């Protein structure tokens, strides 16, 4: 049994926890498949999940899991959703017992102490720091370190720089908006060059001297990312930087984000002994090329190399990668829509559910002078725009709305009969970037607003990669989610007390679970590769 303990900072609704669970189960699933082949069990069982469940209850050496030690978020609303979905029960009879639900700590991150983090001695840290200081809307990104919303992340950087060596995390996973890495250069380097190049972690006195030097040279030329890189360099982490999008993992949604994986060589050696890994089955699914081709030590005076999906495919794909076929096959949006909402469309307006009524576009919004800025998609589209926490509140650049009415796919049908031209063509709803659009006074001609609506929270959650409990509309969605069922991924839902607007806001501030799982899988493979290679 390999138990990877983790801390989740800025935990929100628990996206990183789902990602870690998905990554661990993927590795476990791949290891089991290889072991089955090795024992000549060439025929796949009818229910792979039953095989995994049986294996997970035994002491098989290929079992790997992520164990939550603590989560931190100041939002009571976020914590209520996190707790609703994080049940730490061991038997089904305990699943309804509230005492077994984990509630994140509301201690402000900037008040967490070095001693608290050292007491956890977690294997993994995962985080999505506040993105607002780094977004396009921020008025002065050059001074983002002075933004109060950066304070908590800078505090974590400081704690990481002064923690005892034996308590440092072996793996750190970070997600933020593209642009977080923009201010990489720092003319006011906070430590001596000799310290940064040293193979040993800095002492407390060296760190204090760093802050003194930085205060003397000012803060106008440095950013949080430069501070982050510097600390990773101090503590001798190997690092990889990525720009990834949900479309890379087969999800029809545009949400490009920056990701960072940092792992510390030798970090797992204090947890596991050599005998455990002499003939470990994980050897057969781990890719040793990951260590050499994706990761490197930070060179602070050089711009970081940002990798993309092609980099991963060229350097790191292996038989344990559950995403390699999804990067070229993206299902349409109707696979992600709620079954009850799509059924309601076929009935008269009197029979619309209360849920769908809450998703209708208000008339004052329809008549708004900015309504032409809506991103409109249909169930047949294979892309949607990024959903933000302002979805349903503002129009421009906050996320797609759905046209679910009749569509004309061409000028003629299969029988050669001309289709009615009062039915809008699918070509009419083509996504373009907000900055690339121009006003057209005829943009809404022929569009029936009764067929327009916002996407529900559970629909957006599916597009964000969450394993939603509520069923989707399309039968094909069953096949699309079969992999998650095989992996026995914990299901996600919103508590009944969470309103639709609250769901939108929470999801807009969250991350894409499937992309984060891809990053987590690479990071976990890196630290296990390092461990197994060292124990060979």
């Amino acid at each position: 049994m390999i138990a990877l303990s983790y801390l989740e900072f800025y935990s929100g609704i628990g996206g990183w926890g789902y990602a870690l669970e998905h990554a661990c189960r993927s590795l476990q699933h791949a290891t089991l498949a290889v072991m089955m082949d090795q024992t000549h069990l060439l025929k796949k069982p009818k229910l792979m999940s039953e095989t995994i469940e049986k294996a997970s209850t035994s002491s098989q050496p290929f079992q790997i899991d992520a164990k939550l030690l603590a989560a931190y978020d100041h939002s009571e609303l976020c914590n209520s959703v996190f707790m609703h979905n994080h049940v730490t029960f061991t038997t089904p009879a305990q699943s309804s017992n509230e005492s077994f639900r984990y509630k994140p700590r509301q201690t402000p991150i900037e008040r967490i102490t070095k001693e608290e983090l050292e007491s956890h001695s977690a294997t993994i840290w995962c985080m999505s720091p506040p993105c607002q200081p780094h977004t396009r809307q921020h008025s002065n990104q050059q001074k983002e370190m002075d933004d109060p919303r950066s304070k908590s992340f800078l505090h974590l950087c400081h704690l990481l720089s002064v923690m005892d060596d034996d308590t440092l995390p072996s793996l750190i996973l970070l997600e933020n908006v593209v642009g977080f890495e923009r201010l990489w250069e720092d003319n006011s380097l906070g430590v001596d060059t000799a310290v940064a190049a040293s193979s040993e972690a800095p002492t407390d006195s060296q760190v204090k001297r760093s802050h003194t030097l930085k205060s003397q040279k000012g803060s106008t030329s440095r950013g949080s990312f430069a501070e982050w890189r510097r600390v990773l360099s101090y503590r001798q982490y190997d690092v990889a930087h990525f720009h990834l999008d949900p479309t890379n993992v087969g999800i029809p949604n545009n949400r490009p984000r920056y990701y960072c994986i940092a792992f510390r060589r030798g970090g797992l050696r204090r947890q596991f002994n050599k005998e455990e890994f002499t003939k470990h089955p994980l050897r057969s699914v781990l890719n040793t090329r990951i260590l050499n081709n994706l990761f490197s030590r930070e060179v602070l005076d050089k711009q970081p190399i940002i990798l993309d999906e092609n980099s991963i495919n060229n350097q790191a794909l292996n038989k344990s990668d559950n995403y390699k076929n999804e990067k070229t096959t993206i299902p349409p949006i109707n696979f992600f829509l709620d079954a009850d909402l799509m059924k309601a469309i076929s009935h008269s307006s009197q029979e619309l559910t209360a849920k769908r009524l809450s998703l209708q576009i208000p008339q004052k919004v329809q008549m708004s002078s900015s309504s032409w800025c809506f991103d409109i998609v249909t169930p047949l589209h294979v892309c949607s725009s990024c959903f933000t926490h302002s979805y349903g509140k503002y129009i421009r650049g906050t996320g797609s709305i759905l046209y679910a009415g009749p569509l004309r796919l061409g000028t003629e049908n299969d029988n050669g009969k001309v289709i009615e031209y009062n039915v809008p063509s699918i070509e009419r709803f083509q996504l373009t970037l907000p900055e690339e659009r121009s006003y057209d006074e005829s943009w809404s001609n022929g569009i029936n607003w009764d067929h327009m609506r916002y996407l529900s929270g559970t629909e957006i959650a599916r597009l964000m990669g969450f394993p939603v409990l509520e069923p989707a509309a399309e039968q094909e969605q069953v096949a699309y989610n079969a992999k998650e069922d095989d992996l026995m991924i914990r299901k996600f839902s919103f508590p009944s007390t969470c309103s639709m607007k609250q769901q939108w806001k929470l999801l807009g501030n969250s991350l894409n679970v499937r992309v984060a799982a891809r990053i987590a899988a690479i990071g976990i493979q890196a630290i296990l590769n390092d461990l197994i290679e060292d124990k060979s």
Side-chain angles (χ1 to χ4, degrees):
M1 170 67 175
I2 300 176
L4 303 175
S5 59
Y6 71 96
L7 300 178
E8 188 169 1
F9 302 100
Y10 315 99
S11 52
I13 57 177
W16 270 118
Y18 277 102
L20 286 170
E21 183 177 338
H22 196 291
C24 287
R25 294 299 177 88
S26 296
L27 282 172
Q28 182 174 316
H29 188 280
T31 306
L32 176 62
V34 171
M35 293 181 69
M36 290 172 61
D37 287 341
Q38 291 174 347
T39 54
H40 307 289
L41 297 178
L42 300 179
K43 185 177 180 180
K44 183 179 178 180
K46 293 181 179 180
L47 290 176
M48 178 66 78
S49 59
E50 292 181 0
T51 306
I52 296 177
E53 183 176 12
K54 182 178 179 180
S56 65
T57 59
S58 68
S59 57
Q60 295 296 326
F62 56 82
Q63 188 175 354
I64 180 171
D65 201 4
K67 178 183 178 182
L68 175 66
L69 296 182
Y72 299 88
D73 201 292
H74 68 279
S75 168
E76 185 66 37
L77 178 61
C78 288
N79 293 343
S80 67
V81 178
F82 187 103
M83 185 171 62
H84 175 75
N85 289 285
H86 201 100
V87 183
T88 57
F89 60 90
T90 56
T91 65
Q94 296 174 334
S95 61
S96 61
N97 192 328
E98 290 295 328
S99 64
F100 289 90
R101 295 182 183 272
Y102 181 86
K103 182 177 181 180
R105 304 180 187 183
Q106 289 186 266
T107 303
I109 290 178
E110 53 267 33
R111 294 183 185 177
I112 298 175
T113 65
K114 168 177 172 283
E115 291 72 23
E116 180 176 350
L117 296 185
E118 288 179 338
S119 68
H120 288 305
S121 191
T123 303
I124 302 173
W125 285 11
C126 47
M127 64 185 80
S128 297
C131 66
Q132 290 85 352
H134 316 286
T135 59
R136 291 174 298 177
Q137 289 77 20
H138 195 270
S139 59
N140 193 345
Q141 295 181 24
Q142 298 297 321
K143 294 185 177 180
E144 52 87 8
M145 282 188 70
D146 298 327
D147 191 311
R149 292 167 293 191
S150 297
K151 187 176 180 180
S152 59
F153 176 65
L154 294 174
H155 180 66
L156 286 178
C157 290
H158 169 68
L159 294 179
L160 190 65
S161 70
V162 299
M163 288 173 61
D164 290 343
D165 188 78
D166 289 342
T167 63
L168 289 172
S170 300
L171 176 65
I172 306 176
L173 306 171
L174 181 145
E175 179 260 6
N176 212 297
V177 293
V178 171
F180 172 76
E181 77 289 357
R182 186 174 293 116
L183 296 180
W184 64 271
E185 195 171 16
D186 189 355
N187 296 324
S188 57
L189 290 177
V191 296
D192 295 328
T193 304
V195 174
S198 172
S199 61
E200 298 181 356
T203 63
D204 284 356
S205 61
Q206 288 172 330
V207 172
K208 290 179 180 178
R209 183 168 182 265
S210 300
H211 291 295
T212 301
L213 287 173
K214 286 184 286 185
S215 62
Q216 290 173 348
K217 295 185 178 183
S219 61
T220 57
S221 60
R222 60 190 175 93
S224 298
F225 181 68
E227 187 78 7
W228 173 243
R229 292 184 75 207
R230 184 185 303 110
V231 171
L232 295 179
S233 176
Y234 294 164
R235 305 319 300 256
Q236 302 297 303
Y237 281 90
D238 285 12
V239 183
H241 307 278
F242 301 87
H243 282 172
L244 294 177
D245 186 82
T247 56
N248 299 142
V249 296
I251 294 181
N253 180 244
N254 288 329
R255 194 180 183 87
R257 287 295 184 266
Y258 163 82
Y259 293 88
C260 177
I261 307 174
F263 85 95
R264 201 162 187 269
R265 293 180 184 267
L268 286 184
R269 296 170 195 169
R270 66 179 184 269
Q271 299 182 32
F272 303 101
N273 57 54
K274 182 175 182 178
E275 288 70 23
E276 290 184 74
F277 293 95
T278 301
K279 296 181 179 179
H280 202 285
L282 275 171
R283 289 175 180 272
S284 58
V285 298
L286 295 181
N287 187 352
T288 56
R289 295 166 58 193
I290 289 179
L291 288 176
N292 300 323
N293 297 341
L294 293 182
F295 292 91
S296 62
R297 292 287 171 89
E298 294 284 44
V299 181
L300 300 182
D301 61 349
K302 293 185 179 180
Q303 186 171 356
I305 298 174
I306 307 296
L307 306 173
D308 58 14
E309 176 68 14
N310 290 331
S311 304
I312 299 175
N313 290 336
N314 292 336
Q315 305 293 348
L317 278 181
N318 61 36
K319 65 188 73 177
S320 69
D321 193 327
N322 284 339
Y323 310 91
K324 57 186 177 183
N325 294 324
E326 295 177 10
K327 62 186 180 67
T328 57
T329 304
I330 301 177
I333 290 174
N334 58 351
F335 287 7
F336 298 80
L337 302 179
D338 291 342
D340 57 347
L341 290 175
M342 298 308 290
K343 290 178 181 178
I345 291 175
S346 63
H347 300 303
S348 63
S349 58
Q350 289 81 4
E351 296 176 313
L352 289 175
T353 63
K355 180 179 177 182
R356 188 170 192 276
L357 287 172
S358 71
L359 301 175
Q360 289 183 334
I361 313 295
Q363 188 172 9
K364 65 177 182 179
V365 176
Q366 299 175 22
M367 304 301 295
S368 169
S369 60
S370 59
S371 59
W372 67 274
C373 296
F374 267 127
D375 293 297
I376 305 174
V377 296
T378 74
L380 300 181
H381 274 75
V382 292
C383 193
S384 57
S385 58
C386 179
F387 296 95
T388 75
H389 71 283
S390 297
Y391 187 67
K393 183 177 181 181
Y394 298 110
I395 295 175
R396 185 181 177 90
T398 61
S400 298
I401 62 173
L402 182 72
Y403 173 82
L407 275 176
R408 174 165 47 90
L409 303 182
T411 58
E412 295 183 341
N413 63 18
D414 294 337
N415 297 323
K417 296 180 180 179
V418 177
I419 295 178
E420 297 182 43
Y421 280 92
N422 61 345
V423 176
S425 168
I426 190 172
E427 286 79 12
R428 182 171 186 171
F429 305 109
Q430 295 299 321
L431 285 181
T432 56
L433 296 174
E435 58 269 21
E436 296 178 356
R437 297 179 197 154
S438 58
Y439 176 71
D440 180 359
E441 63 181 10
S442 63
W443 77 272
S444 62
N445 290 352
I447 293 180
N448 185 345
W449 282 94
D450 290 340
H451 296 306
M452 295 277 207
R453 67 170 177 86
Y454 292 111
L455 274 75
S456 72
T458 45
E459 291 171 333
I460 297 174
R462 291 191 194 94
L463 290 170
M464 298 279 285
F466 283 86
V468 176
L469 177 63
E470 184 177 329
E474 285 292 322
Q475 198 67 31
E476 289 86 344
Q477 178 69 15
V478 176
Y480 182 77
N481 277 341
K483 186 178 301 175
E484 290 179 351
D485 293 337
D486 277 353
L487 298 178
M488 298 178 62
I489 301 298
R490 176 170 46 100
K491 295 299 183 181
F492 174 85
S493 63
F494 288 102
S496 59
T497 55
C498 191
S499 70
M500 192 63 68
K501 290 184 178 180
Q502 288 175 326
Q503 294 176 31
W504 291 337
K505 183 175 182 179
L506 292 171
L507 289 164
N509 288 329
S510 189
L511 52 67
N512 190 287
V513 169
R514 297 294 290 276
V515 182
R518 185 152 173 69
I519 288 295
I522 294 173
I524 292 171
Q525 287 189 62
I527 59 175
L528 292 178
N529 264 322
D530 177 59
L531 173 66
I532 293 175
E533 285 186 346
D534 179 69
K535 297 297 183 182
S536 298

